[in-house]
Amino acid sequence: MRIDAIFSNGRFWTGDSARPEAGTLAVHHGRIVAIDDDVAGLEADREVDLGGARVVPGLHDAHHHLGLTGIRLSSVDVRPSQVSSLEELYDRLAERARQLPADAWVKASGYDQNFLGGQHPDAEGIDRAVDGRPCMVEHVSGHMVVGNTKAFELAGYANREGYPDLPGGRVFRDADGRAEGLLQETAMYPIRDAAAKISDEQIRENLRLASDQALSYGLTSVTEPGVVIDGRIGRGGVAMHHYLDAVAADVIRPRMTVMPFHSVLHAIGDGPDGWQTLDWGIRTGLGDDRLRIGPVKIVSDGSLIGRSAAVHECYCGEPENFGVLQLSPDELRTALIAYHRAGWTVATHAIGDRAIDHVLDAIETAQRELPRPEVRHRIEHFAIASDEQVHRCAAAGVIPVPQGVFISDFGDGILDAIGPERAAGTYRMRSLLDAGMVVPGSTDSPVSDANPFVSMHDLVNRITSGGEEFFPRERVSVEEALTAYTYASAYAAGVEDGRGRLVEGQLADFAALSEDLLAIDPAGIRDVRPTMTVIGGEVEFEG
């Protein structure tokens, strides 16, 4: 038999307990057809010598905003690694403004007030920097933006006057009631919509940037938790059009599982009561190995680092702040039950413990009313979780989707926001695994950088950027962290039959590494880099 390719001289960690290590893989029509001794006698059109490199199954980020990542990659980078003061942030805006036409938007992303002395940029400071151009600066969480005066004008609110208080959002105002520039949650949508008017060519370029970055990180699969391609939420049909085109043109090369926001779904009149679906009855699971529809995405609360996640106890130093519920408990329950009844898997963003309780209440009610024991509903982030909530989550068969990389990126800010007692239950891992759950790996890119090795490093080491141990009892082994980014993330997407391990019949997706992830000092995991990324037996990246 003649096959497409043989990859030899590798040290493959297969993720298969029956055969954890291998040296050679044979690939035909994009799938693994033979391993080690079974390769003998096969002839291949291509033979690839891996030079003794450690090779792992293709990495899968279970919560990665590909479209927003591309937007951020094309924006001014104002992450803490780039700016350490408001003055430096404004200088970066001014530098980009000088490169643009007088009416062009200046867009920046990634600032974190915790590294700016607790200060946010404001409209007047941005006005001085960008010389009359419209500007939007996005918070690292993605749950807040700051617009300048011209941005408010283009959104329909001259001189920042009359800006509305939208349900589920917060507008920061001066003593006269005028918007200062900082907008939280749903309150930011008018500014986002005004800034999102970009060309199809720029959309495609943004998707290419994010795709290329993913491949360079060894990511062969990505789950997109709510499709956004231009910064606007709820444009599902338009967004899917761009995704379909980008996949067909190989602009997007990692395999994609995409979640529609619940706001783009429609009721079907002749279905069961409350049936919510896309047109033609489309729901979770439609698609192929390149692009498939995942769960429906519901956003229930805000962000922890932005202090808008819905919590039972107030934030430190803010006795009136209990976060924001974007949907009331009744609205959330009605929506989630409707999607459950319609056959969807549901993935609900819930960071605060108050939001998590509401989501678990809704899932438990849905399963009582219509048992679907096979469904894998998810809670995205599952950040501030009590022991009781961990047990409820496990008992309900829910998949929690925490982000390990938040420990180094935001751990110090989390401690400041909610104190050490509550922070002890934040972004757990060990206790989730011990409760019997399958827990995927993810970064929430572009909130954090998409590099999965930094995220695995944090799952294993749990050290904040300030050098503090972040509740080390939640540490996991290197193999458990790697499993989170391979099999567990495939399981969370419902595709573990085809990816996540290196066994015969599975897709030939894998990454060769610069160092042996399983043998080095765990402190060095964050420095591991892919030297080759392979999807379906085709080399998509070499570095």
Side-chain angles (χ1 to χ4, degrees):
M1 175 182 177
R2 191 165 188 86
I3 61 172
D4 292 333
I6 293 174
F7 292 82
S8 61
N9 193 19
R11 290 180 296 136
F12 292 90
W13 180 84
T14 66
D16 177 16
S17 59
R19 179 161 50 184
E21 295 281 339
T24 304
L25 296 184
V27 178
H28 195 55
H29 293 167
R31 292 185 179 268
I32 299 167
V33 295
I35 298 175
D36 282 352
D37 292 344
D38 295 335
V39 178
L42 296 178
E43 295 183 357
D45 293 336
R46 290 179 294 121
E47 294 194 16
V48 181
D49 187 328
L50 294 166
R54 168 59 73 188
V55 185
V56 298
L59 303 176
H60 184 149
D61 193 320
H63 188 112
H64 178 299
H65 301 272
L66 194 85
L68 291 174
T69 296
I71 292 171
R72 190 165 286 190
L73 288 171
S74 65
S75 301
V76 181
D77 187 355
V78 290
R79 290 177 182 270
S81 60
Q82 303 298 317
V83 300
S84 57
S85 67
L86 278 180
E87 182 180 357
E88 289 182 5
L89 184 150
Y90 292 140
D91 286 345
R92 277 191 164 248
L93 298 181
E95 180 182 0
R96 176 62 64 89
R98 288 191 291 269
Q99 301 168 6
L100 297 173
D103 60 348
W105 277 86
V106 179
K107 298 177 184 178
S109 295
Y111 89 89
D112 184 346
Q113 80 281 3
N114 292 290
F115 293 85
L116 302 175
Q119 295 180 297
H120 296 268
D122 60 27
E124 293 180 0
I126 298 173
D127 288 345
R128 291 190 293 270
V130 300
D131 194 24
R133 294 169 180 81
C135 180
M136 182 182 73
V137 182
E138 183 182 43
H139 188 260
V140 67
S141 68
H143 286 255
M144 294 187 285
V145 301
V146 183
N148 72 335
T149 302
K150 185 66 174 180
F152 277 84
E153 178 184 322
L154 293 178
Y157 303 94
N159 202 29
R160 295 179 273 124
E161 299 283 357
Y163 199 80
D165 290 309
L166 298 175
R170 182 182 180 189
V171 181
F172 290 76
R173 303 183 185 277
D174 63 20
D176 296 324
R178 187 173 67 159
E180 295 178 336
L182 179 61
L183 306 167
Q184 200 171 63
E185 305 303 341
T186 58
M188 66 186 175
Y189 290 171
I191 298 295
R192 273 196 179 278
D193 288 352
K197 296 171 183 176
I198 59 177
S199 68
D200 289 354
E201 291 75 15
Q202 184 62 58
I203 289 171
R204 178 169 286 209
E205 174 62 11
N206 290 343
L207 293 173
R208 184 194 65 77
L209 288 170
S211 171
D212 288 353
Q213 184 196 66
L215 293 173
S216 74
Y217 286 154
L219 294 171
T220 60
S221 296
V222 166
T223 294
E224 166 91 63
V227 183
V228 180
I229 41 84
D230 60 7
R232 284 176 281 188
I233 305 297
R235 299 179 72 236
V238 174
M240 282 302 296
H241 162 76
H242 285 286
Y243 268 66
L244 287 164
D245 276 359
V247 168
D250 282 335
V251 171
I252 295 176
R253 290 177 287 165
R255 305 183 192 279
M256 297 296 301
T257 298
V258 297
M259 300 184 193
F261 282 103
H262 83 281
S263 57
V264 307
L265 303 182
H266 307 96
I268 290 182
D270 58 357
D273 292 343
W275 187 305
Q276 299 289 317
T277 185
L278 292 175
D279 298 330
W280 295 2
I282 293 169
R283 60 182 185 236
T284 303
L286 181 75
D288 58 23
D289 289 333
R290 290 291 307 279
L291 179 67
R292 65 188 297 277
I293 294 176
V296 58
K297 171 75 176 293
I298 300 176
V299 180
S300 74
D301 70 342
S303 91
L304 176 48
I305 200 65
R307 299 192 175 202
S308 58
V311 291
H312 286 301
E313 298 179 47
C314 67
Y315 287 93
C316 296
E318 299 182 40
E320 304 300 319
N321 184 9
F322 294 86
V324 174
L325 287 173
Q326 297 205 26
L327 298 173
S328 72
D330 286 343
E331 290 171 332
L332 173 66
R333 183 169 55 251
T334 298
L336 194 148
I337 291 173
Y339 305 135
H340 175 87
R341 293 181 61 83
W344 282 92
T345 301
V346 182
T348 309
H349 165 118
I351 289 180
D353 50 2
R354 182 159 60 104
I356 289 171
D357 272 338
H358 295 321
V359 177
L360 288 172
D361 289 345
I363 291 173
E364 290 165 351
T365 301
Q367 289 285 26
R368 282 197 301 271
E369 292 185 1
L370 179 66
R372 290 178 59 201
E374 79 291 345
V375 73
R376 297 173 187 172
H377 294 318
R378 301 165 42 138
I379 296 181
E380 308 300 307
H381 309 298
F382 197 71
I384 309 173
S386 67
D387 291 344
E388 179 187 0
Q389 289 172 326
V390 170
H391 294 310
R392 286 182 70 192
C393 189
V398 174
I399 297 175
V401 188
Q403 289 69 46
V405 67
F406 284 8
I407 294 163
S408 62
D409 276 358
F410 309 123
D412 296 307
I414 291 170
L415 289 166
D416 288 341
I418 60 175
E421 183 175 345
R422 281 188 289 167
T426 302
Y427 294 107
R428 295 167 174 250
M429 191 64 174
R430 174 81 273 146
S431 56
L432 304 182
L433 295 178
D434 289 348
M437 289 183 273
V438 177
V439 187
S442 68
T443 58
D444 199 12
S445 178
V447 175
S448 285
D449 185 69
N451 188 335
F453 298 98
V454 176
S455 192
M456 284 187 272
H457 171 277
D458 284 3
L459 290 173
V460 172
N461 294 283
R462 296 186 71 92
I463 304 292
T464 72
S465 60
E468 297 293 325
E469 286 192 335
F470 196 84
F471 310 104
R473 65 176 176 270
E474 292 290 341
R475 287 173 177 157
V476 299
S477 71
V478 177
E479 190 165 304
E480 286 170 327
L482 182 55
T483 299
Y485 261 96
T486 51
Y487 174 81
S489 285
Y491 180 91
V495 294
E496 76 278 9
D497 288 342
R499 60 189 95 162
R501 296 178 298 152
L502 298 176
V503 298
E504 291 183 15
Q506 290 227 331
L507 294 163
D509 300 349
F510 48 88
L513 307 181
S514 60
E515 298 181 76
D516 188 347
L517 183 71
L518 299 166
I520 62 173
D521 183 335
I525 293 173
R526 66 185 305 126
D527 299 319
V528 174
R529 292 291 181 270
T531 57
M532 180 183 293
T533 303
V534 177
I535 300 179
E538 299 293 332
V539 177
E540 297 287 357
F541 167 80
E542 286 188 270

